[in-house]
Amino acid sequence: MKGDPADSVPEVLSVLVADDEEGMREGMRRILGRNGYRVDVADGGVQAIEMIDAGHYDLALVDLRMPEIDGFEVTDYIARRAGNKTVVVIVSALATVEAAVETTRKGAFDFLVKPFAPADLLSVVGRAERQCRLIREHEKYLVELDGERSLSRSLINSMREGVIVLNLRQEVVLLNPRAEFYLGIRSRPGLTSHDLGFDAGFSDLVDGVLSGETGERLVEKEMGQHHIRTRITPYVRGEEVGGAIVLLHDFTDEWHSQQDKNRFVSMVAHELRGPLAAILNYLNLILDGSLDDEPDRVRELLERSRSRGEALLELVGDLLFLNKRNAGRAEKSLEKLDLAQVLREELSFVEGHAARAEVTLSFEAEEGMFSFVADRGDMDRVFLNLMFNGIKYNRPGGTLVVSLRRTDDGSWFEVSFRDSGIGMTEEEMKNLFEDFFRVINSRTRTIPGTGLGLSTAKRVASEYNGRITVESEPDVGSTFTVLLPAGDESHG
Ligand code: ADP
């Protein structure tokens, strides 16, 4: 019988009787056998040890005085070999009772004094059996407990969060590998909250939590490359606080996106402030009355205000659009568009603007169908942006030629915007498609803009698997080209 400690206690207990007196031995076998025990017998210590090696016994009844190997040694052997899994009962004569008592100190459970009545035997064995079952139950419990412990341990160890458990004396009783990693320390005995590398205030916070004065506390801290949010929670046992659980959560990604957002907001604020300040400045000049005799000058300032105001409106429009996009809230309403038609409509929309800037518009479209499934608003965002730029960054008397064709391999619609404007150097074009990027030079300084037009146009085009390229030469002009896939009409 192999004894698996996790097994439940077997119904029939196996008993080994070791006695060199055959009568004794067989008598015990008979009585125990009749009472439901499975009994094996050994005629002495040597055989007993062999049998113990060969199998598991729940109980062993061992005579103290046996030749060669006596009951002491057998008890000892059992204790060493089987731990306390086999319950030993010593059988001894009255003369050796003291020795028997001594044996119980060395691991035997009980003793039985010869001669004894069957009832005595059964009563001692019954007690031993209860002991035996207790041991088994206990073992089972320990195994389960160990199982649970190692399960919770491995759960805690595999957590993405760092976990530290502190006792009431602020000693570290648990530190999982993540926490070790974030804190850059190794778990070792004697570690306290002071060794964790937090600021001095940390222990005070823990104190507050441990004493029940404060509930949960949050601390944010930079640890190497990581931004860690630390949450200190009381560990409540029954009614009382028994310790503190410290959870370390890595919020580096959130932190970075928060930083990006902050940067974006400050950039936007900056962009809004310039034109607004200019408008207010012009209005103040007009309102303080010093220009009352110069209606032309007043008019000029009002026109400038209008143009800055328009730019502001454009910026706000771009921002709203960006925000909607980023929040994934922009719903596209897709329809089959004729790009030639779209471009014609857009050109007539910017006509007034072009006339004021003294830029001549023209449109060239190849013969053929240019049907493209898209959101009309998206197409306006791309094409109108490029048209406005072609007019804004032009010169009086210049031209803007919009042309539409299919690439030679037939797979792209190509829309190009060729202006005869100020152009750009290689250097100036480097970051052209980035948010808020504007070329700053003597010629662009007076031209209002947001620096969001091209980045938005590019983003939108890429949503349709399209792209935008640019060629430019200072003082000659720029050509922006939009390529949209011609084959597939079902994207977006
Ligand atoms: P903006 O609102 O400033 O026009 P865009 O993103 O549309 O923003 O353009 C970014 C910058 O690229 C502009 O500030 C301008 O310097 C340059 N740019 C754009 N289009 C042209 C063009 N057709 N000719 C010359 N420069 C241009």
Side-chain angles (χ1 to χ4, degrees):
M1 259 181 92
K2 263 265 147 3
D4 182 343
D7 281 348
S8 55
V9 184
E11 278 307 307
V12 178
L13 262 67
S14 57
V15 182
L16 174 65
V17 172
D19 202 318
D20 58 329
E21 281 175 59
E22 197 185 347
M24 249 346 237
R25 202 161 67 218
E26 290 307 321
M28 286 195 270
R29 189 217 286 267
R30 240 190 346 268
I31 296 165
L32 294 172
R34 245 189 262 133
N35 282 277
Y37 296 96
R38 201 179 63 73
V39 188
D40 287 337
V41 292
D43 60 6
V46 179
Q47 200 186 5
I49 281 173
E50 276 171 17
M51 291 174 72
I52 284 159
D53 277 342
H56 171 80
Y57 290 96
D58 300 304
L59 286 179
L61 284 155
V62 183
D63 188 30
L64 194 59
R65 288 257 291 266
M66 293 185 291
E68 291 177 83
I69 295 178
D70 64 13
F72 280 119
E73 276 183 71
V74 174
T75 306
D76 217 44
Y77 186 78
I78 288 175
R80 268 189 285 118
R81 189 186 176 279
N84 54 3
K85 281 178 202 161
T86 301
V87 174
V88 179
V89 172
I90 293 292
V91 180
S92 92
L94 199 53
T96 50
V97 156
E98 262 176 56
V101 173
E102 180 63 27
T103 325
T104 59
R105 272 196 213 118
K106 295 219 167 102
F109 167 68
D110 206 349
F111 62 92
L112 186 64
V113 181
K114 287 195 272 195
F116 50 80
D120 298 332
L121 173 66
L122 288 174
S123 139
V124 170
V125 168
R127 270 209 306 278
E129 177 179 349
R130 276 195 296 283
Q131 171 71 5
C132 183
R133 291 188 187 277
L134 267 178
I135 288 170
R136 289 298 195 83
E137 285 298 328
H138 184 64
E139 263 170 13
K140 205 174 128 205
Y141 169 73
L142 280 182
V143 167
E144 273 167 16
L145 195 67
D146 199 42
E148 272 167 34
R149 245 193 234 147
S150 59
L151 175 67
S152 20
R153 188 69 218 207
S154 66
L155 286 177
I156 291 170
N157 283 356
S158 61
M159 277 171 73
R160 260 189 58 86
E161 280 79 21
V163 181
I164 306 164
V165 179
L166 298 168
N167 66 14
L168 288 174
R169 288 188 298 276
Q170 299 216 15
E171 290 160 352
V172 175
V173 291
L174 190 153
L175 187 70
N176 79 347
R178 267 280 149 176
E180 289 183 337
F181 171 70
Y182 290 144
L183 301 172
I185 57 171
R186 285 241 142 245
S187 185
R188 60 179 157 78
L191 216 56
T192 73
S193 66
H194 300 280
D195 306 317
L196 300 177
F198 288 99
D199 310 332
F202 177 75
S203 298
D204 296 340
L205 288 179
V206 175
D207 254 343
V209 169
L210 288 176
S211 65
E213 268 166 39
T214 56
E216 193 174 277
R217 300 307 294 260
L218 268 181
V219 199
E220 284 181 4
K221 184 171 165 37
E222 217 181 310
M223 297 178 181
Q225 304 282 323
H226 301 268
H227 291 268
I228 304 292
R229 186 171 292 143
T230 304
R231 187 184 293 277
I232 311 167
T233 322
Y235 157 51
V236 181
R237 230 171 12 187
E239 297 277 279
E240 283 177 36
V241 177
I245 302 163
V246 182
L247 272 186
L248 308 178
H249 170 72
D250 187 343
F251 72 110
T252 310
D253 291 347
E254 282 163 77
W255 186 85
H256 281 304
S257 84
Q258 189 58 48
Q259 292 301 105
D260 286 347
K261 234 176 246 166
N262 292 349
R263 237 194 320 272
F264 190 78
V265 168
S266 97
M267 259 197 303
V268 167
H270 194 78
E271 296 297 326
L272 289 173
R273 195 170 60 180
L276 258 184
I279 291 170
L280 286 176
N281 201 19
Y282 299 145
L283 290 179
N284 284 335
L285 277 176
I286 295 166
L287 287 172
D288 75 9
S290 54
L291 299 175
D292 283 357
D293 305 336
E294 298 174 68
D296 285 352
R297 184 97 175 91
V298 169
R299 188 177 174 81
E300 187 205 324
L301 291 184
L302 286 175
E303 267 169 3
R304 274 202 222 166
S305 300
R306 175 173 66 189
S307 125
R308 304 300 298 260
E310 279 168 358
L312 264 184
L313 197 62
E314 197 188 319
L315 171 60
V316 171
D318 284 349
L319 286 171
L320 285 176
F321 178 82
L322 266 186
N323 199 37
K324 234 159 83 180
R325 265 294 139 76
N326 293 342
R329 277 190 283 110
E331 276 177 26
K332 292 187 191 301
S333 80
L334 297 179
E335 55 182 319
K336 195 173 198 166
L337 300 169
D338 171 9
L339 291 182
Q341 176 69 17
V342 168
L343 288 165
R344 262 186 221 109
E345 285 172 14
E346 289 166 348
L347 279 164
S348 75
F349 180 76
V350 301
E351 221 166 58
H353 194 72
R356 250 176 287 153
E358 294 170 50
V359 172
T360 310
L361 300 177
S362 58
F363 181 53
E364 302 167 349
E366 256 181 10
E367 284 295 306
M369 281 299 290
F370 295 95
S371 66
F372 187 66
V373 176
D375 181 299
R376 173 63 196 259
D378 283 348
M379 293 302 103
D380 287 347
R381 205 139 276 280
V382 176
F383 299 146
L384 280 178
N385 249 312
L386 295 174
M387 283 179 195
F388 276 123
N389 282 352
I391 296 165
K392 267 202 300 192
Y393 302 105
N394 219 309
R395 56 180 168 79
T399 56
L400 171 64
V401 181
V402 179
S403 57
L404 174 62
R405 62 181 281 268
R406 210 181 243 262
T407 53
D408 295 341
D409 65 357
S411 52
W412 299 94
F413 293 134
E414 185 188 271
V415 191
S416 62
F417 303 82
R418 193 172 73 246
D419 66 58
S420 59
I422 61 174
M424 287 170 283
T425 64
E426 285 290 322
E427 185 63 28
E428 288 169 335
M429 283 193 286
K430 258 194 191 157
N431 304 307
L432 205 56
F433 292 96
E434 278 172 24
D435 285 344
F436 295 113
F437 173 79
R438 306 201 66 209
V439 175
I440 304 295
N441 58 37
S442 57
R443 325 179 63 165
T444 59
R445 195 157 292 133
T446 55
I447 304 171
T450 64
L452 283 173
L454 288 180
S455 60
T456 307
K458 184 186 165 138
R459 211 170 284 147
V460 173
S462 72
E463 286 172 14
Y464 290 89
N465 300 317
R467 45 197 170 89
I468 302 181
T469 60
V470 58
E471 282 169 53
S472 189
E473 204 178 312
D475 296 326
V476 175
S478 313
T479 303
F480 284 83
T481 303
V482 181
L483 290 169
L484 294 170
D488 178 11
E489 295 188 340
S490 60
H491 42 70

